Amino acid sequence: MNSVSKKQFSNGVKWKTINLVLSKGLSFIASIIIARLIEPEHYGYMAIWSVILSFCDMIVIGGLDTVLVQKEKLQDEEWKTGFTFSLYKAIVISLIIIGIAPYIAEFYNIPELNLLIKISCIDLIAQPFIFTGVAKCSRKLDFKKIFFSDFVATCFGAIVSLICIYGKKNVLVLILNNMVHQAIYGLLLIILQRDKIGIGIKKSSLKSIYFDGVKAMSNGVLDLFTSSINNLYMGKKWTPIEVGYNNRAQSLVQILGVETYNVISNILLPTFSSYQSQKDKLKGITRIMVSLSTYIMFPLMFGTAVCAKNIILFLFTEKWIQAVPFLQIACIYYAFNPLRQLCMNLNYSYGGYKNNNIIEIIRFILTVTVIVVFQVFDFKSFNILVLCGAITTVIIAIIYIYSVVKIINYSLLEIIEDIIPNLIMTVITLLPLYYISYRFGYGIVVTFAQVLLAVVIYIFLSFISKNKIFVYLIISFEEIIKKKWTK
């Protein structure tokens, strides 16, 4: 893979940003409308079928989504073999899931799950098309095609959801929104590729990518299993309505936080991989990404936590008020999770699957320990269980940062220099916001005032402290303006 130029990186960020604003923005608006029109219990059902679907997706993909981006050179036969092998797996697993769906529904005592799980198999068939298309675009940093495919698919998914609501088929709203999106997204990603992918399996090609895929998937298994075990446990111990509140809060923060971070995260793996043999440049990129993620995510997530009640009332109405504490806890999780993902990608680029596996095993042990304690002592507090998950993420993020120290000679002093200033600015910024909530209560006007004040204070602090990310963004903006004027 050729080195990623600054122009390619900037162009990739541009199209990822456009995708965030338009595709994810449209999805966000649709999700608000849907949440206002259907009951929280439907999101509880979603928390269960989405976990089962995630496990099956992982088996279908088999780590190839990472390998096809990371591997420096790929032959056409390897693309064809990876696509075909995954498609075969998707068909077989779909038949198995359709057969066991009634038993899963019986286990959770939720009859609706039977149909929902069967419909979710559409996603399995779409996955080979999706990860292959995304990998091809990512290697070229051609995020324009990803944006177009995602935007069109989002439009169709939203339309189908609204038709279901109009037809009083509320139980199908969330599943069809997801499945229609995935089917159209995968189809368009393949159609838009100039070099088409054929059908066929070559043993030598399968062997060359299969073992790397298994290594990448082994880490993905631990990551997914640990993340999903809570949802499965929650679905069994608590009611669908309670689980629905947490699921809706998680979804909201994913749109606000994860999609914002994903503007740059999908560029990280090809960028890191292109500099595998240039540790000085890789270290510089890593430091910028650590600073940038904390510079953006800390104020965004902790600010959302402070304004959580206003946000829930404004977007989803009073019936979702019990989701407020879950939203605040989710903000803690997603404030630190980008650091974990960034370091995980860096380990991947150096083939450091072993480091990632060890850390994910630690995460799994911590998660299972919490669940065992809750079950043995029969703790009833759903909020505390979710909070323990957020605390675990903070601990794991710290361990992940330590794991990359040796790879790029990232010293403790440099880590502190890249993270702590952004944390201090965030705390100073949010103190007035918390006081405003305490003094003036809750309301839309108060929320907008808090957001405006937070932006002004954060920019002011960035300016007087000469924050390096702030300076970097200003210089980049000035360069763009100069280029526009010179034209």
Side-chain angles (χ1 to χ4, degrees):
M1 185 185 295
N2 297 326
S3 294
V4 177
S5 67
K6 184 177 180 181
K7 182 178 180 181
Q8 285 178 302
F9 185 86
S10 300
N11 192 56
V13 172
K14 179 184 77 173
W15 281 107
K16 288 294 291 182
T17 304
I18 292 173
N19 190 39
L20 172 67
V21 174
L22 295 181
S23 298
K24 303 308 177 185
L26 176 61
S27 178
F28 180 55
I29 293 171
S31 70
I32 293 172
I33 296 172
I34 292 171
R36 284 170 168 260
L37 296 176
I38 67 175
E39 296 304 313
E41 63 184 12
H42 295 298
Y43 287 90
Y45 302 156
M46 182 181 180
I48 298 173
W49 64 253
S50 63
V51 169
I52 297 169
L53 183 60
S54 296
F55 274 112
C56 296
D57 280 345
M58 177 191 59
I59 297 172
V60 169
I61 297 170
L64 294 182
D65 56 335
T66 299
V67 173
L68 293 179
V69 176
Q70 179 191 2
K71 196 170 182 180
E72 293 199 34
K73 293 182 180 180
L74 281 171
Q75 305 298 324
D76 289 340
E77 290 296 329
E78 291 175 312
W79 284 106
K80 184 189 298 184
T81 297
F83 172 77
T84 306
F85 185 58
S86 297
L87 187 58
Y88 287 162
K89 286 193 292 182
I91 294 172
V92 172
I93 294 172
S94 295
L95 294 175
I96 295 173
I97 291 300
I98 290 173
I100 66 174
Y103 302 102
I104 297 174
E106 184 179 348
F107 175 77
Y108 280 98
N109 196 27
I110 303 175
E112 293 86 349
L113 279 179
N114 183 17
L115 177 60
L116 296 176
I117 292 173
K118 289 177 179 178
I119 295 175
S120 71
C121 292
I122 295 172
D123 177 86
L124 300 180
I125 305 300
Q127 280 303 325
F129 297 88
I130 293 173
F131 81 75
T132 304
V134 169
K136 276 189 168 291
C137 292
S138 296
R139 288 180 70 88
K140 303 171 186 175
L141 294 186
D142 185 8
F143 294 104
K144 185 177 181 179
K145 289 187 177 71
I146 294 178
F147 155 69
F148 178 79
S149 303
D150 193 15
F151 183 76
V152 173
T154 301
C155 290
F156 276 95
I159 291 170
V160 170
S161 296
L162 294 177
I163 292 174
C164 287
I165 292 174
Y166 182 76
K168 307 294 184 182
K169 303 292 184 181
N170 289 0
V171 73
L172 298 176
V173 172
L174 296 175
I175 188 76
L176 288 184
N177 178 43
N178 189 290
M179 295 306 110
V180 170
H181 173 276
Q182 294 296 81
I184 295 177
Y185 184 42
L187 187 62
L188 288 176
L189 279 171
I190 293 298
I191 291 175
L192 293 175
Q193 300 299 325
R194 290 183 180 178
D195 45 335
K196 303 304 179 183
I197 300 172
I199 298 290
I201 295 179
K202 189 175 181 181
K203 287 185 178 181
S204 59
S205 297
L206 182 60
K207 192 176 294 184
S208 69
I209 60 175
Y210 179 75
F211 290 109
D212 284 340
V214 170
K215 290 179 183 177
M217 187 180 71
S218 64
N219 184 229
V221 169
L222 291 168
D223 182 15
L224 179 61
F225 191 71
T226 305
S227 300
S228 302
I229 194 170
N230 266 346
N231 283 337
L232 294 175
Y233 178 66
M234 291 171 186
K236 187 64 178 174
K237 188 174 178 66
W238 286 276
T239 66
I241 294 177
E242 291 173 299
V243 176
Y245 289 133
N246 180 58
N247 183 269
R248 178 67 277 191
Q250 293 282 339
S251 300
L252 176 60
V253 179
Q254 283 178 351
I255 293 173
L256 292 174
V258 176
E259 296 303 341
T260 300
Y261 176 71
N262 279 347
V263 170
I264 50 180
S265 67
N266 283 347
I267 306 170
L268 290 181
L269 189 54
T271 301
F272 284 158
S273 296
S274 69
Y275 287 110
Q276 287 181 42
S277 59
Q278 304 175 51
K279 287 195 176 183
D280 289 340
K281 289 185 178 180
L282 187 58
K283 179 179 179 179
I285 292 172
T286 302
R287 292 195 64 185
I288 290 174
M289 299 309 296
V290 169
S291 296
L292 181 59
S293 65
T294 54
Y295 183 80
I296 294 173
M297 299 303 292
F298 281 0
L300 180 62
M301 289 293 94
F302 294 134
T304 300
V306 171
C307 303
K309 185 175 181 179
N310 277 334
I311 292 172
I312 291 295
L313 290 175
F314 175 64
L315 295 179
F316 305 124
T317 71
E318 185 76 28
K319 74 176 181 180
W320 286 96
I321 194 65
Q322 292 184 54
V324 171
F326 298 114
L327 178 59
Q328 292 172 326
I329 295 170
C331 287
I332 299 173
Y333 177 94
Y334 286 106
F336 288 91
N337 196 54
L339 292 175
R340 168 178 161 267
Q341 293 291 341
L342 190 153
C343 295
M344 185 185 290
N345 281 331
L346 182 58
N347 281 331
Y348 273 143
S349 70
Y350 267 87
Y353 301 105
K354 185 177 180 180
N355 286 344
N356 286 350
N357 287 341
I358 292 173
I359 298 172
E360 288 303 316
I361 288 173
I362 295 173
R363 179 169 167 245
F364 172 74
I365 292 172
L366 291 174
T367 302
V368 171
T369 300
V370 171
I371 291 176
V372 169
V373 170
F374 263 74
Q375 188 64 25
V376 170
F377 294 97
D378 197 24
F379 291 151
K380 303 295 184 182
S381 177
F382 192 17
N383 294 12
I384 298 298
L385 178 66
V386 178
L387 179 60
C388 288
I391 295 172
T392 298
T393 298
V394 176
I395 295 171
I396 295 301
I398 294 172
I399 298 174
Y400 260 111
I401 292 173
Y402 179 77
S403 73
V404 303
V405 168
K406 291 183 180 180
I407 295 178
I408 56 173
N409 298 319
Y410 198 2
S411 70
L412 178 61
L413 186 61
E414 289 171 328
I415 295 171
I416 293 173
E417 182 183 330
D418 292 338
I419 297 177
I420 298 301
N422 297 329
L423 181 59
I424 293 173
M425 287 198 307
T426 299
V427 172
I428 295 174
T429 300
L430 296 182
L431 286 175
L433 271 63
Y434 185 79
Y435 174 76
I436 290 174
S437 295
Y438 176 77
R439 179 70 175 78
F440 298 101
Y442 299 93
I444 301 304
V445 176
V446 173
T447 302
F448 279 112
Q450 286 177 310
V451 172
L452 181 61
L453 180 62
V455 171
V456 172
I457 294 175
Y458 200 67
I459 292 176
F460 175 72
L461 292 174
S462 299
F463 176 76
I464 62 173
S465 65
K466 296 182 180 179
N467 183 278
K468 64 180 181 180
I469 294 299
F470 179 76
V471 172
Y472 175 81
L473 294 174
I474 292 297
I475 293 174
S476 299
F477 181 73
E478 288 177 347
E479 289 178 357
I480 293 172
I481 297 297
K482 286 179 182 178
K483 287 179 181 179
K484 293 291 183 181
W485 276 104
T486 52
K487 289 181 180 180

